[in-house]
PDB file of all heavy atoms in Angstrom:
ATOM      1  N   MET A  58      20.496   4.450  20.206  1.00  0.00           N
ATOM      2  CA  MET A  58      21.388   3.309  20.348  1.00  0.00           C
ATOM      3  C   MET A  58      20.743   2.214  21.185  1.00  0.00           C
ATOM      4  O   MET A  58      20.886   1.043  20.910  1.00  0.00           O
ATOM      5  CB  MET A  58      22.716   3.757  20.965  1.00  0.00           C
ATOM      6  CG  MET A  58      23.727   2.615  21.110  1.00  0.00           C
ATOM      7  SD  MET A  58      24.184   1.888  19.504  1.00  0.00           S
ATOM      8  CE  MET A  58      25.105   3.237  18.804  1.00  0.00           C
ATOM      9  N   GLN A  59      20.015   2.614  22.238  1.00  0.00           N
ATOM     10  CA  GLN A  59      19.352   1.617  23.081  1.00  0.00           C
ATOM     11  C   GLN A  59      18.338   0.812  22.285  1.00  0.00           C
ATOM     12  O   GLN A  59      18.153  -0.369  22.516  1.00  0.00           O
ATOM     13  CB  GLN A  59      18.681   2.307  24.267  1.00  0.00           C
ATOM     14  CG  GLN A  59      19.663   2.867  25.288  1.00  0.00           C
ATOM     15  CD  GLN A  59      18.957   3.544  26.443  1.00  0.00           C
ATOM     16  OE1 GLN A  59      17.773   3.843  26.379  1.00  0.00           O
ATOM     17  NE2 GLN A  59      19.695   3.791  27.505  1.00  0.00           N
ATOM     18  N   ARG A  60      17.682   1.470  21.322  1.00  0.00           N
ATOM     19  CA  ARG A  60      16.688   0.779  20.518  1.00  0.00           C
ATOM     20  C   ARG A  60      17.347  -0.263  19.623  1.00  0.00           C
ATOM     21  O   ARG A  60      16.803  -1.322  19.365  1.00  0.00           O
ATOM     22  CB  ARG A  60      15.904   1.795  19.684  1.00  0.00           C
ATOM     23  CG  ARG A  60      15.018   2.696  20.547  1.00  0.00           C
ATOM     24  CD  ARG A  60      14.535   3.897  19.787  1.00  0.00           C
ATOM     25  NE  ARG A  60      13.675   4.741  20.604  1.00  0.00           N
ATOM     26  CZ  ARG A  60      13.323   5.960  20.302  1.00  0.00           C
ATOM     27  NH1 ARG A  60      13.772   6.507  19.186  1.00  0.00           N
ATOM     28  NH2 ARG A  60      12.532   6.656  21.086  1.00  0.00           N
ATOM     29  N   VAL A  61      18.534   0.059  19.089  1.00  0.00           N
ATOM     30  CA  VAL A  61      19.278  -0.898  18.286  1.00  0.00           C
ATOM     31  C   VAL A  61      19.716  -2.066  19.151  1.00  0.00           C
ATOM     32  O   VAL A  61      19.609  -3.227  18.762  1.00  0.00           O
ATOM     33  CB  VAL A  61      20.491  -0.218  17.624  1.00  0.00           C
ATOM     34  CG1 VAL A  61      21.313  -1.245  16.867  1.00  0.00           C
ATOM     35  CG2 VAL A  61      20.030   0.899  16.703  1.00  0.00           C
ATOM     36  N   ARG A  62      20.182  -1.767  20.340  1.00  0.00           N
ATOM     37  CA  ARG A  62      20.640  -2.823  21.245  1.00  0.00           C
ATOM     38  C   ARG A  62      19.497  -3.737  21.674  1.00  0.00           C
ATOM     39  O   ARG A  62      19.712  -4.905  21.997  1.00  0.00           O
ATOM     40  CB  ARG A  62      21.298  -2.199  22.473  1.00  0.00           C
ATOM     41  CG  ARG A  62      22.658  -1.572  22.174  1.00  0.00           C
ATOM     42  CD  ARG A  62      23.191  -0.837  23.377  1.00  0.00           C
ATOM     43  NE  ARG A  62      24.490  -0.244  23.091  1.00  0.00           N
ATOM     44  CZ  ARG A  62      25.089   0.634  23.885  1.00  0.00           C
ATOM     45  NH1 ARG A  62      24.491   1.029  25.009  1.00  0.00           N
ATOM     46  NH2 ARG A  62      26.263   1.127  23.560  1.00  0.00           N
ATOM     47  N   PHE A  63      18.267  -3.212  21.677  1.00  0.00           N
ATOM     48  CA  PHE A  63      17.113  -4.030  22.041  1.00  0.00           C
ATOM     49  C   PHE A  63      17.040  -5.254  21.134  1.00  0.00           C
ATOM     50  O   PHE A  63      16.804  -6.370  21.598  1.00  0.00           O
ATOM     51  CB  PHE A  63      15.826  -3.208  21.906  1.00  0.00           C
ATOM     52  CG  PHE A  63      14.574  -4.016  22.105  1.00  0.00           C
ATOM     53  CD1 PHE A  63      14.139  -4.344  23.378  1.00  0.00           C
ATOM     54  CD2 PHE A  63      13.847  -4.452  21.018  1.00  0.00           C
ATOM     55  CE1 PHE A  63      12.995  -5.097  23.555  1.00  0.00           C
ATOM     56  CE2 PHE A  63      12.701  -5.204  21.184  1.00  0.00           C
ATOM     57  CZ  PHE A  63      12.275  -5.522  22.458  1.00  0.00           C
ATOM     58  N   LEU A  64      17.257  -5.069  19.839  1.00  0.00           N
ATOM     59  CA  LEU A  64      17.245  -6.197  18.922  1.00  0.00           C
ATOM     60  C   LEU A  64      18.424  -7.130  19.183  1.00  0.00           C
ATOM     61  O   LEU A  64      18.289  -8.349  19.111  1.00  0.00           O
ATOM     62  CB  LEU A  64      17.307  -5.703  17.473  1.00  0.00           C
ATOM     63  CG  LEU A  64      15.987  -5.203  16.865  1.00  0.00           C
ATOM     64  CD1 LEU A  64      16.214  -4.809  15.416  1.00  0.00           C
ATOM     65  CD2 LEU A  64      14.908  -6.259  16.957  1.00  0.00           C
ATOM     66  N   GLU A  65      19.570  -6.541  19.470  1.00  0.00           N
ATOM     67  CA  GLU A  65      20.759  -7.360  19.703  1.00  0.00           C
ATOM     68  C   GLU A  65      20.589  -8.260  20.923  1.00  0.00           C
ATOM     69  O   GLU A  65      21.112  -9.371  20.972  1.00  0.00           O
ATOM     70  CB  GLU A  65      21.977  -6.459  19.880  1.00  0.00           C
ATOM     71  CG  GLU A  65      22.327  -5.664  18.627  1.00  0.00           C
ATOM     72  CD  GLU A  65      23.449  -4.678  18.869  1.00  0.00           C
ATOM     73  OE1 GLU A  65      23.798  -4.472  20.057  1.00  0.00           O
ATOM     74  OE2 GLU A  65      23.964  -4.107  17.895  1.00  0.00           O
ATOM     75  N   LYS A  66      19.836  -7.791  21.917  1.00  0.00           N
ATOM     76  CA  LYS A  66      19.644  -8.565  23.144  1.00  0.00           C
ATOM     77  C   LYS A  66      18.465  -9.521  23.069  1.00  0.00           C
ATOM     78  O   LYS A  66      18.267 -10.343  23.957  1.00  0.00           O
ATOM     79  CB  LYS A  66      19.449  -7.608  24.324  1.00  0.00           C
ATOM     80  CG  LYS A  66      20.692  -6.779  24.649  1.00  0.00           C
ATOM     81  CD  LYS A  66      20.421  -5.848  25.812  1.00  0.00           C
ATOM     82  CE  LYS A  66      21.654  -5.025  26.160  1.00  0.00           C
ATOM     83  NZ  LYS A  66      21.392  -4.099  27.284  1.00  0.00           N
ATOM     84  N   ASN A  67      17.636  -9.381  22.030  1.00  0.00           N
ATOM     85  CA  ASN A  67      16.446 -10.219  21.906  1.00  0.00           C
ATOM     86  C   ASN A  67      16.510 -10.978  20.593  1.00  0.00           C
ATOM     87  O   ASN A  67      15.884 -10.612  19.596  1.00  0.00           O
ATOM     88  CB  ASN A  67      15.182  -9.363  21.981  1.00  0.00           C
ATOM     89  CG  ASN A  67      14.996  -8.744  23.352  1.00  0.00           C
ATOM     90  OD1 ASN A  67      14.387  -9.331  24.238  1.00  0.00           O
ATOM     91  ND2 ASN A  67      15.548  -7.549  23.531  1.00  0.00           N
ATOM     92  N   ALA A  68      17.294 -12.043  20.600  1.00  0.00           N
ATOM     93  CA  ALA A  68      17.544 -12.793  19.370  1.00  0.00           C
ATOM     94  C   ALA A  68      16.274 -13.366  18.772  1.00  0.00           C
ATOM     95  O   ALA A  68      16.132 -13.452  17.555  1.00  0.00           O
ATOM     96  CB  ALA A  68      18.549 -13.915  19.646  1.00  0.00           C
ATOM     97  N   ASN A  69      15.326 -13.762  19.618  1.00  0.00           N
ATOM     98  CA  ASN A  69      14.093 -14.340  19.095  1.00  0.00           C
ATOM     99  C   ASN A  69      13.340 -13.356  18.214  1.00  0.00           C
ATOM    100  O   ASN A  69      12.716 -13.739  17.225  1.00  0.00           O
ATOM    101  CB  ASN A  69      13.189 -14.799  20.246  1.00  0.00           C
ATOM    102  CG  ASN A  69      13.754 -15.996  20.983  1.00  0.00           C
ATOM    103  OD1 ASN A  69      14.564 -16.738  20.425  1.00  0.00           O
ATOM    104  ND2 ASN A  69      13.337 -16.191  22.222  1.00  0.00           N
ATOM    105  N   VAL A  70      13.379 -12.080  18.592  1.00  0.00           N
ATOM    106  CA  VAL A  70      12.733 -11.036  17.793  1.00  0.00           C
ATOM    107  C   VAL A  70      13.598 -10.691  16.589  1.00  0.00           C
ATOM    108  O   VAL A  70      13.116 -10.613  15.463  1.00  0.00           O
ATOM    109  CB  VAL A  70      12.473  -9.775  18.636  1.00  0.00           C
ATOM    110  CG1 VAL A  70      11.959  -8.648  17.768  1.00  0.00           C
ATOM    111  CG2 VAL A  70      11.486 -10.089  19.755  1.00  0.00           C
ATOM    112  N   ALA A  71      14.877 -10.499  16.811  1.00  0.00           N
ATOM    113  CA  ALA A  71      15.782 -10.089  15.739  1.00  0.00           C
ATOM    114  C   ALA A  71      15.854 -11.114  14.624  1.00  0.00           C
ATOM    115  O   ALA A  71      16.063 -10.769  13.464  1.00  0.00           O
ATOM    116  CB  ALA A  71      17.175  -9.836  16.307  1.00  0.00           C
ATOM    117  N   ASP A  72      15.668 -12.392  14.958  1.00  0.00           N
ATOM    118  CA  ASP A  72      15.774 -13.459  13.969  1.00  0.00           C
ATOM    119  C   ASP A  72      14.455 -13.765  13.265  1.00  0.00           C
ATOM    120  O   ASP A  72      14.395 -14.672  12.425  1.00  0.00           O
ATOM    121  CB  ASP A  72      16.292 -14.743  14.634  1.00  0.00           C
ATOM    122  CG  ASP A  72      17.752 -14.608  15.064  1.00  0.00           C
ATOM    123  OD1 ASP A  72      18.434 -13.712  14.535  1.00  0.00           O
ATOM    124  OD2 ASP A  72      18.193 -15.386  15.924  1.00  0.00           O
ATOM    125  N   THR A  73      13.385 -13.028  13.591  1.00  0.00           N
ATOM    126  CA  THR A  73      12.110 -13.222  12.904  1.00  0.00           C
ATOM    127  C   THR A  73      12.304 -12.984  11.413  1.00  0.00           C
ATOM    128  O   THR A  73      12.902 -11.994  11.002  1.00  0.00           O
ATOM    129  CB  THR A  73      11.044 -12.245  13.437  1.00  0.00           C
ATOM    130  OG1 THR A  73      10.928 -12.416  14.852  1.00  0.00           O
ATOM    131  CG2 THR A  73       9.692 -12.520  12.792  1.00  0.00           C
ATOM    132  N   GLU A  74      11.797 -13.898  10.595  1.00  0.00           N
ATOM    133  CA  GLU A  74      12.049 -13.831   9.159  1.00  0.00           C
ATOM    134  C   GLU A  74      10.836 -13.312   8.382  1.00  0.00           C
ATOM    135  O   GLU A  74       9.685 -13.560   8.743  1.00  0.00           O
ATOM    136  CB  GLU A  74      12.449 -15.210   8.636  1.00  0.00           C
ATOM    137  CG  GLU A  74      13.783 -15.697   9.197  1.00  0.00           C
ATOM    138  CD  GLU A  74      14.212 -17.018   8.604  1.00  0.00           C
ATOM    139  OE1 GLU A  74      13.339 -17.791   8.174  1.00  0.00           O
ATOM    140  OE2 GLU A  74      15.428 -17.284   8.568  1.00  0.00           O
ATOM    141  N   TYR A  75      11.134 -12.611   7.282  1.00  0.00           N
ATOM    142  CA  TYR A  75      10.100 -12.013   6.438  1.00  0.00           C
ATOM    143  C   TYR A  75      10.422 -12.262   4.972  1.00  0.00           C
ATOM    144  O   TYR A  75      11.586 -12.367   4.581  1.00  0.00           O
ATOM    145  CB  TYR A  75      10.005 -10.500   6.691  1.00  0.00           C
ATOM    146  CG  TYR A  75       9.624 -10.160   8.104  1.00  0.00           C
ATOM    147  CD1 TYR A  75      10.603  -9.986   9.084  1.00  0.00           C
ATOM    148  CD2 TYR A  75       8.290 -10.034   8.475  1.00  0.00           C
ATOM    149  CE1 TYR A  75      10.256  -9.684  10.391  1.00  0.00           C
ATOM    150  CE2 TYR A  75       7.936  -9.734   9.779  1.00  0.00           C
ATOM    151  CZ  TYR A  75       8.917  -9.562  10.734  1.00  0.00           C
ATOM    152  OH  TYR A  75       8.564  -9.273  12.027  1.00  0.00           O
ATOM    153  N   ARG A  76       9.371 -12.313   4.156  1.00  0.00           N
ATOM    154  CA  ARG A  76       9.519 -12.479   2.710  1.00  0.00           C
ATOM    155  C   ARG A  76       9.665 -11.091   2.085  1.00  0.00           C
ATOM    156  O   ARG A  76       8.706 -10.326   2.025  1.00  0.00           O
ATOM    157  CB  ARG A  76       8.300 -13.190   2.130  1.00  0.00           C
ATOM    158  CG  ARG A  76       8.053 -14.564   2.726  1.00  0.00           C
ATOM    159  CD  ARG A  76       6.802 -15.211   2.153  1.00  0.00           C
ATOM    160  NE  ARG A  76       5.586 -14.515   2.533  1.00  0.00           N
ATOM    161  CZ  ARG A  76       4.578 -15.076   3.222  1.00  0.00           C
ATOM    162  NH1 ARG A  76       4.659 -16.340   3.607  1.00  0.00           N
ATOM    163  NH2 ARG A  76       3.498 -14.376   3.503  1.00  0.00           N
ATOM    164  N   ILE A  77      10.851 -10.762   1.626  1.00  0.00           N
ATOM    165  CA  ILE A  77      11.144  -9.413   1.139  1.00  0.00           C
ATOM    166  C   ILE A  77      11.470  -9.438  -0.359  1.00  0.00           C
ATOM    167  O   ILE A  77      12.378 -10.140  -0.797  1.00  0.00           O
ATOM    168  CB  ILE A  77      12.314  -8.786   1.909  1.00  0.00           C
ATOM    169  CG1 ILE A  77      11.980  -8.679   3.403  1.00  0.00           C
ATOM    170  CG2 ILE A  77      12.672  -7.424   1.327  1.00  0.00           C
ATOM    171  CD1 ILE A  77      10.827  -7.752   3.728  1.00  0.00           C
ATOM    172  N   VAL A  78      10.713  -8.656  -1.124  1.00  0.00           N
ATOM    173  CA  VAL A  78      11.010  -8.472  -2.543  1.00  0.00           C
ATOM    174  C   VAL A  78      12.122  -7.446  -2.706  1.00  0.00           C
ATOM    175  O   VAL A  78      13.097  -7.663  -3.431  1.00  0.00           O
ATOM    176  CB  VAL A  78       9.744  -8.020  -3.311  1.00  0.00           C
ATOM    177  CG1 VAL A  78      10.081  -7.707  -4.773  1.00  0.00           C
ATOM    178  CG2 VAL A  78       8.658  -9.089  -3.241  1.00  0.00           C
TER     179      VAL A  78
END
Side-chain angles (χ1 to χ4, degrees):
M58 182 62 69
Q59 290 180 345
R60 292 165 179 166
V61 176
R62 288 174 180 169
F63 173 79
L64 280 182
E65 295 174 349
K66 294 179 179 179
N67 293 271
N69 291 337
V70 173
D72 291 341
T73 304
E74 294 184 334
Y75 298 90
R76 301 178 293 240
I77 300 296
V78 175

